[in-house]
């Protein structure tokens, strides 16, 4: 008896004509777009952000607890960044779950694997077509969120300068470029989540866990970001670029954490896709009641990703000496001083006072934590800073107090504690009436990676 | 010159872990033949059909499909179509969209448009072509699955329980399509638990039990190899018929007459030659025969006779 299983495969000349990846891709796109929930989600992503931004921009109360939310009255670009922050936390993990987390599992649910395999005759091309189709839909959703939020903001508020995360003013053209760049950067962690979704969808079959995996991973990463983890671990998580895009809005930009976050996300995307592919092409399609690989899913899916996490942590730790919180006294003082100087100039302009430069102000900040009883290091809402500045021709040194709430990812909200004329009240009296006081509360960002102070 | 068989399997073995699904299967299916696959649940029918469709690869043995050796890769040669465990349809697409998507996937421009209409017409689904498959009954899904297979102009059609859920009209459509395909030279391998369908359609059958073939060949050979069958006999004169049957060699009459469609029916057990003798006697004595049919079909009787000992021996 001849054991064909050990014999060479059929000669190529006798093989069937291939169903190309392009045709398989079109087939998958048709199937995805025919699902009412996908249509609904696409529609929502292209309409809801515009409506939300336009509506919120008309309200008297702004979402000031969200990054750039306090500037939604000032410029149309802020609304898109609010949507971007929300998308990184909620929308994109859920959308990738819905699309990538279901693209393989849907065939299990419908019992159509055999039909598809008979038609396409190649698990490899089926995988490629499905991955590309889900990528297309996810891109369509992300582009929709970005475009819609930008259009909504610009129509409702206008194309005005945007206040950066360190208080410096970005011209509308700069703001446009950086907002688009920020949306482009979050594509990397979105791809990582999508790849994890593909892996879950392949490995867990009809199990709802497959569908939920990207959302659960994203939630776990968000929880991890809230913990006092070393910077290397924080940056090695594939979702860090959902946070680090804010580094684009400082001057100079905090680009190193962003670059590391994007690179880590892309590595995760490639590795998780490769794992999903490896699991898929080894699958037994004769079992109609397939419910995932069970324990094998752990060995082929979870363990390699855990190893990847370990490798990226080690890689980031070697590349950057960052096994601490990254939030240190001098960095906090520098961030607060820089932001205060920029915003002071804005307040000066509002009050129609003589213009000053940052260099003339010579702003400095003295910060401590826990009233000086604790080491001035790490996250917490017990930071207190005294900011000092000079005015040309005035001998007295101005000072103002801020209470800081710094989160583990380096973001902080500085809340003015007086004097009232400087930062103690949310309005300032201008020649044209009351206006928002830019020094009353402001957002800032401490770069977690070690930096060399300039100047 | 001999035409190569559509399927030629030798010593096919397939295991799933500790379970031997197929154990040294030999199978030949000629072109233009409708070949039935019968067996109790778990006999290995679906596994064998899956191998023919390229959904799985044999662990050992050789398999030639349409004169092309099938290797380990999960792929079947061009010209093979069909389904196992029900057709794969996308509920959010209409019947026509399901077929159009499949035609576009295959790249057959010829199959689009008129080809789709023709396939829908053949299986009797023209009237519901614009309806979403979500609302289809099992029988309609089976017919749409068959239409999808027809689009590819198969030379080997593999169908798993194609008669499930079919109403008489649907059954007529499906039988008509399969018979026409076979007449055009397409080999059809189908599994079914409905013996009447297999007897109506198939020229040859293979009976599987616990992964092994217990019979393969023409239905006539199966009947000849089988033991005595019970036949229901309806005549114009039941008393005379009973007397004649009692007097015919190798014909055994059941103890009491049975009521059958309002008439008194006689149940006799005999091999075909003895039954022929009985019929001749009845005609000679002027007893009109109104119906003579096996109580259980020959295929079903053979199926039970051949598989029950194996099942009991498990």
């Amino acid at each position: 008896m001849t054991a064909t299983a050990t014999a060479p495969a059929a000669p190529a000349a006798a093989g069937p004509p291939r169903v190309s990846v392009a045709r398989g891709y079109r087939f998958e796109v048709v199937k995805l777009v025919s699902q009412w929930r996908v249509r609904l989600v696409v529609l929502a992503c292209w309409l809801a952000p515009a409506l939300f931004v336009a509506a919120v921009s008309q309200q008297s109360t702004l979402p000031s607890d969200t990054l750039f939310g306090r500037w939604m009255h000032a410029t149309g670009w802020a609304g898109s960044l609010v949507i971007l922050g929300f998308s990184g936390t909620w929308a994109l993990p859920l959308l990738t779950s819905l699309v990538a987390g279901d693209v393989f599992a849907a065939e299990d649910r419908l019992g159509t694997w055999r039909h598809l395999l008979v038609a396409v005759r190649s698990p490899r091309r089926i995988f490629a077509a499905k991955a590309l189709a889900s990528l297309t839909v996810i891109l369509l959703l992300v582009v929709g969120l970005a475009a819609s939020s930008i259009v909504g903001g610009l129509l409702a508020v206008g194309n005005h300068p945007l206040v950066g995360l360190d208080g410096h003013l970005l011209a509308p053209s700069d703001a446009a470029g950086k907002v688009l760049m920020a949306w482009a950067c979050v594509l990397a962690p979105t791809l990582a989540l999508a790849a994890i979704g593909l892996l879950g969808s392949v490995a867990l079959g009809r199990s709802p866990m497959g569908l939920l995996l990207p959302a659960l991973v994203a939630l776990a990463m968000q929880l991890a970001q809230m913990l006092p983890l070393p910077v290397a671990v924080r940056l090695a998580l594939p979702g860090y670029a959902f946070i680090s895009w804010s580094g684009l809005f400082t001057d100079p930009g905090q680009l190193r954490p962003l670059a590391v976050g994007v690179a880590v996300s892309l590595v995760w995307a490639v590795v998780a896709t490769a794992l999903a592919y490896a699991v898929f092409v080894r699958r037994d399609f004769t079992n109609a009641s397939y419910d995932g690989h069970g324990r094998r899913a752990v060995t082929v899916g979870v363990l390699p990703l855990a190893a990847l996490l370990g490798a990226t942590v080690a890689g980031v730790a070697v590349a950057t000496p960052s096994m601490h919180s990254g939030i240190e006294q001098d960095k906090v003082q520098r961030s607060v001083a820089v932001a205060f100087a920029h915003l002071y100039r804005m307040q000066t302009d509002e009050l129609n006072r003589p213009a000053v430069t940052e260099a003339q102000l010579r702003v400095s900040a003295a910060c401590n934590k826990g009233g000086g009883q604790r080491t001035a290091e790490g996250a917490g809402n017990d930071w207190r800073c005294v900011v000092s500045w000079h005015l040309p021709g005035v001998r007295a040194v101005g000072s103002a107090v801020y209470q800081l709430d710094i989160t583990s990812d380096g973001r902080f909200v500085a809340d003015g504690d007086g004097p009232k004329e400087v930062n103690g009240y949310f309005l300032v009296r201008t020649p044209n009436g009351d206006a928002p006081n830019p020094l009353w509360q402001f957002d800032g960002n401490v770069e977690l990676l070690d930096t060399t102070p300039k100047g | 010159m001999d035409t190569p068989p559509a399927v030629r399997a030798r010593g096919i073995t397939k295991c799933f872990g500790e379970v031997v699904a197929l154990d040294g299967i030999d199978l030949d299916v000629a072109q233009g033949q409708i070949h039935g696959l019968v067996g109790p649940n778990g006999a290995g029918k679906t596994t064998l059909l899956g191998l023919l469709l390229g959904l799985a690869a044999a662990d050992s043995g050789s398999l030639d499909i349409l004169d092309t050796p099938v290797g380990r890769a999960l792929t079947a040669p061009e010209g093979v179509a069909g389904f196992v465990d029900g057709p794969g349809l996308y509920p959010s697409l209409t019947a026509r969209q399901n077929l159009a998507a499949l035609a576009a996937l295959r790249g057959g421009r010829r199959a689009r448009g008129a080809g789709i209409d023709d396939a829908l017409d053949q299986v009797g689904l023209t009237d519901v072509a614009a309806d979403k498959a979500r609302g289809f009954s099992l029988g309609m899904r089976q017919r749409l699955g068959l239409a999808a297979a027809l689009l590819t102009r198969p030379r080997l059609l593999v169908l798993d329980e194609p008669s499930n859920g079919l109403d008489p009209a649907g059954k007529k459509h499906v039988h008509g399509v399969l018979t026409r395909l076979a007449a055009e030279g397409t080999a059809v391998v189908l599994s079914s638990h409905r013996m009447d369908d297999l007897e109506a359609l198939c020229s040859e059958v293979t009976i599987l039990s616990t992964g092994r073939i217990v019979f393969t060949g023409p239905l006539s050979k199966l009947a000849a190899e089988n033991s005595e069958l019970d036949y229901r006999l309806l005549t114009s004169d039941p008393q005379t018929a009973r007397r004649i049957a009692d007097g015919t060699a190798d014909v055994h009459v059941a103890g009491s007459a049975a009521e059958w469609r309002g008439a008194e029916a006689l149940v006799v057990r005999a091999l075909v030659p003895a039954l022929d003798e009985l019929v001749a006697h009845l005609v000679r004595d002027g007893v009109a025969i109104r119906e003579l049919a096996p109580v259980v079909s020959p295929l079903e009787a053979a199926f039970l006779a051949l598989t029950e000992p194996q099942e009991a021996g498990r």
Side-chain angles (χ1 to χ4, degrees):
Chain A
M1 182 193 304
T2 306
T4 307
T6 56
R18 290 186 161 199
V19 172
S20 66
V21 173
R23 282 194 196 132
Y25 166 76
R26 279 198 297 274
F27 185 62
E28 294 300 331
V29 169
V30 165
K31 284 191 294 183
L32 276 173
V33 174
S34 73
Q35 295 176 31
W36 66 265
R37 64 175 180 185
V38 172
R39 290 182 192 175
L40 197 66
V41 163
V42 170
L43 195 67
C45 286
W46 279 84
L47 290 181
L51 297 174
F52 173 81
V53 171
V56 171
S57 300
Q58 307 306 317
Q59 306 297 311
S60 57
T61 305
L62 294 175
S64 55
D65 53 342
T66 309
L67 212 52
F68 293 100
R70 67 181 76 250
W71 300 113
M72 283 182 77
H73 279 158
T75 173
W77 298 106
S80 185
L81 296 175
V82 169
I83 294 292
L84 177 56
F86 170 78
S87 298
T89 309
W90 297 107
L92 291 174
L94 290 174
L95 294 175
T96 51
S97 280
L98 200 66
V99 180
D102 194 47
V103 68
F104 289 89
E107 307 284 354
D108 284 304
R109 216 171 40 249
L110 299 174
T112 43
W113 270 125
R114 297 169 175 190
H115 163 79
L116 191 58
L117 203 66
V118 168
V120 179
R121 297 162 193 276
S122 164
R124 291 179 178 85
R125 288 193 293 277
I126 290 174
F127 184 88
K130 282 188 171 294
L132 287 173
S134 53
L135 176 66
T136 303
V137 173
I138 288 170
L139 286 177
L140 186 68
L141 299 177
V142 175
V143 170
L145 289 168
S148 175
S149 58
I150 289 172
V151 169
L154 293 182
L155 289 179
V157 184
N159 184 20
H160 305 302
L162 173 72
V163 177
L165 210 49
D166 59 355
H168 84 289
L169 214 55
L170 286 97
S173 58
D174 287 345
K178 295 204 169 177
V179 167
L180 291 176
M181 182 89 77
W183 277 102
C185 287
V186 300
L187 277 178
T190 305
L191 291 180
L193 286 182
I196 290 168
L198 293 181
L199 180 59
S201 186
V202 167
L204 298 170
R206 281 181 295 192
S207 164
M209 278 303 293
L211 184 67
L212 291 174
L213 196 61
L216 291 176
V217 169
L219 183 64
M221 287 190 299
Q222 285 171 35
L223 290 175
Q225 292 293 350
M226 294 165 71
L227 299 174
L229 295 173
V231 178
V233 176
R234 201 174 290 284
L235 266 63
L237 296 174
Y240 189 68
F242 280 137
I243 299 168
S244 56
W245 58 264
S246 58
L248 288 167
F249 296 90
T250 60
D251 184 24
Q254 296 173 7
L255 301 181
R256 271 209 311 158
L258 179 60
V260 171
V262 168
V264 167
S265 295
L266 293 177
V267 169
W268 273 73
V270 170
V271 172
T273 305
L275 287 171
Y277 174 79
V279 172
F280 182 70
V281 296
R282 285 164 180 76
R283 177 175 168 172
D284 168 25
F285 289 95
T286 55
N287 183 2
S289 59
Y290 178 81
D291 253 336
H293 285 268
R295 276 190 300 180
R296 195 170 157 236
V298 175
T299 53
V300 299
V302 176
L303 291 182
L305 290 182
L308 175 63
L309 178 62
T312 47
V313 169
V316 174
V318 168
T320 59
S322 48
M323 292 308 289
H324 46 76
S325 74
I327 301 169
E328 294 142 19
Q329 186 180 34
D330 59 332
K331 287 201 260 182
V332 173
Q333 290 176 167
R334 201 159 55 242
S335 294
V336 171
V338 168
F340 183 89
H342 289 309
L343 294 171
Y344 189 92
R345 287 191 62 199
M346 190 182 294
Q347 190 193 54
T348 301
D349 188 46
E350 276 184 339
L351 296 172
N352 216 13
R353 289 175 182 162
V356 289
T357 64
E358 285 86 350
Q360 289 170 324
L361 287 170
R362 287 181 286 144
V363 176
S364 63
C367 302
N368 63 42
K369 193 165 186 283
Q373 303 297 309
R374 301 174 60 184
T375 308
E377 199 261 334
N381 61 359
D382 54 349
W383 281 87
R384 184 174 183 274
C385 295
V386 178
V387 180
S388 305
W389 70 96
H390 300 80
L391 287 174
V394 179
R395 289 182 61 186
V397 178
S399 72
V401 177
Y402 281 96
Q403 304 292 338
L404 261 63
D405 183 359
I406 306 180
T407 54
S408 301
D409 57 11
R411 288 183 189 169
F412 65 81
V413 177
D415 190 6
D417 225 9
K420 185 185 173 189
E421 315 76 63
V422 179
N423 69 347
Y425 192 60
F426 73 103
L427 293 175
V428 287
R429 187 156 304 216
T430 72
N432 301 323
D434 287 347
N437 181 359
L439 289 175
W440 176 58
Q441 269 189 348
F442 61 87
D443 298 304
N445 197 28
V446 177
E447 181 167 357
L448 298 182
L449 291 178
D450 288 334
T451 54
T452 307
K454 292 178 181 171
Chain B
M1 185 188 294
D2 288 344
T3 52
V7 177
R8 185 178 186 278
R10 292 293 177 269
I12 291 291
T13 297
K14 177 71 182 174
C15 302
F16 296 103
E18 300 290 312
V19 179
V20 181
L22 295 174
D23 187 5
I25 297 292
D26 294 341
L27 179 68
D28 287 288
V29 180
Q31 294 180 25
Q33 181 187 89
I34 303 181
H35 193 105
L37 212 53
V38 198
N41 296 328
K45 302 187 296 294
T46 302
T47 303
L48 182 54
L49 296 179
L51 292 181
L52 299 181
L53 284 169
L55 296 172
D59 296 332
S60 65
S62 67
L63 177 62
D64 290 4
I65 295 177
L66 301 173
D67 210 22
T68 303
V70 175
R72 177 177 273 177
L74 293 182
T75 178
E78 176 71 357
V80 182
F83 55 81
V84 290
D85 280 332
L89 303 172
Y90 295 98
S92 55
L93 300 178
T94 65
R96 185 186 298 282
Q97 285 170 336
N98 264 289
L99 298 188
L102 189 65
L105 187 62
R106 294 276 194 170
R109 287 183 180 278
R110 194 181 51 174
R112 298 183 195 178
I116 292 170
D117 290 338
D118 183 45
L120 286 167
D121 184 50
Q122 285 190 57
V123 299
L125 290 179
T126 304
D127 292 344
V128 292
D131 293 356
K132 287 194 188 295
R134 178 178 292 118
F136 279 17
S137 67
L138 175 59
M140 291 161 82
R141 291 172 59 82
Q142 299 277 35
R143 285 147 74 187
L144 187 55
L146 180 58
L150 292 179
L151 274 186
T152 63
R153 297 175 181 273
R155 288 186 289 140
L156 171 62
L157 184 59
V158 179
L159 301 171
D160 189 14
E161 305 278 358
S163 301
N164 270 5
L166 289 179
D167 58 18
K171 184 174 162 181
K172 184 182 168 192
H173 275 293
V174 170
H175 282 206
V177 169
L178 297 183
T179 306
R180 184 183 56 71
L181 283 176
E184 291 170 356
T186 299
V188 180
V189 179
L190 59 92
S191 76
S192 180
H193 289 298
R194 293 181 58 167
M195 303 300 167
D196 54 339
D197 277 348
L198 293 173
E199 285 180 320
L201 284 169
C202 301
S203 50
E204 291 199 3
V205 292
T206 292
I207 301 178
L208 283 170
S209 180
T210 60
R212 292 182 183 158
I213 289 178
V214 292
F215 173 84
T216 185
L219 278 167
S220 55
K221 184 183 168 197
L222 182 66
E225 281 186 358
N226 195 25
S227 55
E228 293 174 327
L229 285 180
D230 286 343
Y231 293 89
R232 185 183 305 107
L233 177 62
L234 253 64
T235 62
S236 56
D237 184 352
Q239 278 71 35
T240 307
R242 171 179 283 274
R243 184 176 48 76
I244 293 170
D246 281 336
T248 306
D250 299 327
V251 172
H252 309 285
V253 182
S256 57
E259 177 87 0
W260 177 250
R261 291 176 184 162
E264 189 180 334
L266 203 61
V267 176
V268 297
R269 173 170 294 180
L271 287 171
V272 172
L275 197 66
D276 292 345
E277 184 83 6
L278 172 61
V279 170
H281 284 180
L282 290 169
V283 172
R284 197 183 311 130
D285 288 5
V287 177
I289 300 171
R290 291 175 178 160
E291 185 178 319
L292 177 60
V295 174
V296 177
S297 78
L299 180 57
E300 188 169 347
F303 169 77
L304 292 171
L306 290 168
T307 58
E308 276 180 345
Q310 305 243 350
E311 294 289 304
R314 269 186 172 183

